[in-house]
Amino acid sequence: MSLLINPTTGAELDHSPASASLEEADAVIARAHDAFAAWRDVAPGERARLLRAFAAIVDAHIEELAQLEVLNAGHTIGNARWEAGNVRDCLNYYSAAPERLFGRQIPVPGGTDITFHEPLGVVGIIVPWNFPMPIAAWGFAPALAAGNTVVLKPAELTPLTAIRIGELAIEAGLPEGVLNVVPGKGSVVGERFVTHPLVRKVCFTGSTTVGKRIMAGCADQVKRVTLELGGKSANVIFADTDVPAAAASAPYAVFDNAGQDCCARSRILVQRSAYDEFVGRLETAVRALKVIDPADEQSEMGPMVSSGQRDAVQSYIDNAHIAFTGSAPDGPGWWLPPTVVESTDTSEAVWREEVFGPVVAVMPFDDEDEAVALANDSDYGLSGSIFTSDVSRALRVARRVEAGNLSVNSHSSVRYWTPFGGYKQSGLGRELGPDAPDAFTEEKNVFIAH
């Protein structure tokens, strides 16, 4: 039994799921494998209909799922509703894929050559605690659409919405064994996804350290793997931009979900001539941020997910030069105020490491070349923003910054219509976008002699 805690109050939750044993994990994997042949052979139009039915039943339970996430993960109610809606939207988007999983006819001499996309089999999806609902759907929606069956392990801290979504899949008419939710420890269930020969692919979202171990384990069976790992993204502010607008938007780029976001723009680079104005306006925006009970409709930032995560983040703050902070409730729960530090040394831990909390470091730069060099001076390369009124500069800098997802005059990182993934130690492979189902298939080539 995993003990679940409400991050807002520190109180124990009434319902905590059992943690699967190795034998139970094996039984679920076997069930998914047994269900695969029939699911693979479901007519494309019927598979599409079932995914749309799944989307519809999720839509009917948006508020229930959102309230569960507020309770279990401390997400603001507005964010939680969006996250549940993203599950629905991913299912609807990929419901079009079964009827459009096209192969090709390739011109060759002496015959006809055609290709097919065929499902892999059982796909293991390991989900983190920071965005339990969307990240699960980014894996299972395209995997199911491509004809695979899925075993999904939610994070130990935040399993409740995944369990409920698994129940809704059955209510929607998906056959037993097609989507299986297996709560449990990463060292037991997650590790078994890596070592079990019937699991043909692993999708993992989490820390770079754990991702490396998963990748090494999958190599033993030459098992496919998609990794979405850490980030230390830069928000690059040029002096020619609308500085008030850039400063007003910056807190939401890093303090959303209490900074527990791999895409958080946790390094802000500001051109020196605009630095003082930007930091002054940033202070006003940070102090105005509504850090209150996440169940409140006005809440803009909730608590951290656990006491351990709060303490880890506090250790970075204790060793940094704090410029200013926002507010946070007193009393129980895992609260930390949004915190801005000024950095002068790129070797500082708060500048280099993924803090994964409501902390942002700010540093000035002089010119475009220095901005790019500072942005790229990281082991990570997941996301980032560029604020400028010069379109040529925006494109030039975007092409030079080593990151998988960049936004100009925006902080948008994830759209289910477009590919998502990182450079360097931020990951391997891409999720989302129109090509995501292909990543859950083998491409078979067939030559027919004339």
Side-chain angles (χ1 to χ4, degrees):
M1 185 74 69
S2 299
L3 179 65
L4 300 183
I5 301 295
N6 183 335
T8 305
T9 64
E12 182 180 340
L13 297 181
D14 291 335
H15 36 303
S16 297
S19 185
S21 66
L22 181 63
E23 293 74 21
E24 288 167 331
D26 280 351
V28 174
I29 291 168
R31 186 162 65 244
H33 176 70
D34 291 344
F36 169 62
W39 180 246
R40 175 194 59 202
D41 293 341
V42 168
E46 175 63 9
R47 196 184 309 144
R49 185 194 68 78
L50 286 167
L51 292 176
R52 289 193 293 270
F54 190 5
I57 201 165
V58 169
D59 187 53
H61 291 80
I62 292 286
E63 190 64 22
E64 176 195 351
L65 291 167
Q67 294 292 344
L68 268 181
E69 209 69 288
V70 172
L71 186 70
N72 191 187
H75 290 193
T76 64
I77 184 61
N79 279 5
R81 288 179 183 135
W82 179 89
E83 290 156 21
N86 189 252
V87 177
R88 171 204 60 213
D89 294 343
C90 284
L91 285 165
N92 274 325
Y93 181 72
Y94 289 110
S95 72
E99 296 173 289
R100 294 166 176 79
L101 204 61
F102 303 129
R104 294 180 295 173
Q105 185 271 312
I106 302 173
V108 295
T112 300
D113 198 273
I114 53 178
T115 65
F116 300 90
H117 285 283
E118 298 185 346
L120 301 171
V122 180
V123 173
I125 299 173
I126 303 172
V127 179
W129 48 256
N130 61 328
F131 290 105
M133 286 191 283
I135 292 175
W138 301 350
F140 71 64
L144 294 174
N148 302 278
T149 54
V150 168
V151 287
L152 186 150
K153 192 199 88 65
E156 293 168 62
L157 292 174
T158 56
L160 297 184
T161 48
I163 292 169
R164 186 65 182 122
I165 287 169
E167 295 168 350
L168 293 177
I170 297 298
E171 292 180 35
L174 266 70
E176 294 277 354
V178 169
L179 176 60
N180 309 270
V181 179
V182 199
K185 294 182 178 180
S187 59
V188 178
V189 178
E191 180 69 17
R192 194 57 178 138
F193 289 0
V194 173
T195 61
H196 200 298
L198 291 180
V199 177
R200 303 296 298 276
K201 178 172 181 173
V202 173
C203 298
F204 171 77
T205 300
S207 73
T208 297
T209 300
V210 175
K212 288 177 179 178
R213 292 205 300 267
I214 288 173
M215 187 175 179
C218 287
D220 189 54
Q221 297 177 25
V222 196
K223 182 177 296 189
R224 291 172 178 240
V225 61
T226 295
L227 303 173
E228 196 272 278
L229 307 176
K232 192 66 179 176
S233 300
N235 181 9
V236 183
I237 314 294
F238 287 96
D240 64 4
T241 195
D242 182 340
V243 173
S249 70
Y252 301 97
V254 66
F255 299 136
D256 184 61
N257 199 29
Q260 300 165 128
D261 181 353
C262 50
C263 291
R265 276 65 165 168
S266 55
R267 295 183 297 151
I268 303 179
L269 298 164
V270 188
Q271 196 158 21
R272 198 175 300 275
S273 60
Y275 186 82
D276 290 343
E277 179 189 358
F278 178 89
V279 172
R281 292 182 180 275
L282 179 65
E283 180 174 6
T284 300
V286 169
R287 294 194 187 281
L289 201 69
K290 294 182 175 65
V291 185
I292 55 178
D293 184 343
D296 190 312
E297 297 283 349
Q298 301 302 310
S299 180
E300 295 179 303
M301 187 183 116
M304 306 209 65
V305 74
S306 68
S307 59
Q309 187 64 19
R310 181 189 61 180
D311 293 346
V313 174
Q314 183 66 54
S315 70
Y316 285 96
I317 297 172
D318 292 340
N319 296 298
H321 176 255
I322 298 174
F324 49 86
T325 67
S327 63
D330 295 323
W334 316 135
W335 297 93
L336 267 182
T339 300
V340 177
V341 304
E342 289 190 278
S343 287
T344 58
D345 182 354
T346 59
S347 67
E348 291 178 297
V350 74
W351 181 261
R352 299 207 68 80
E353 297 177 16
E354 186 178 35
V355 176
F356 223 63
V359 180
V360 66
V362 188
M363 182 181 290
F365 68 87
D366 288 309
D367 57 26
E368 187 176 306
D369 286 342
E370 185 183 14
V372 171
L374 287 169
N376 288 340
D377 183 21
S378 173
D379 292 334
Y380 300 109
L382 185 57
S383 195
S385 298
I386 302 160
F387 277 75
T388 178
S389 61
D390 183 335
V391 175
S392 294
R393 167 180 277 162
L395 289 172
R396 192 167 58 242
V397 173
R399 293 302 302 272
R400 295 176 67 193
V401 171
E402 297 165 347
N405 308 270
L406 293 167
S407 295
V408 175
N409 300 329
S410 163
H411 298 299
S412 173
S413 287
V414 180
R415 296 157 299 274
Y416 57 82
W417 310 276
T418 58
F420 175 72
Y423 282 30
K424 299 188 281 189
Q425 294 194 36
S426 283
L428 184 72
R430 293 295 181 266
E431 297 179 298
L432 300 174
D435 299 327
D438 290 351
F440 294 95
T441 66
E442 293 280 11
E443 187 172 26
K444 177 177 287 183
N445 189 79
V446 177
F447 171 73
I448 305 168
H450 287 174

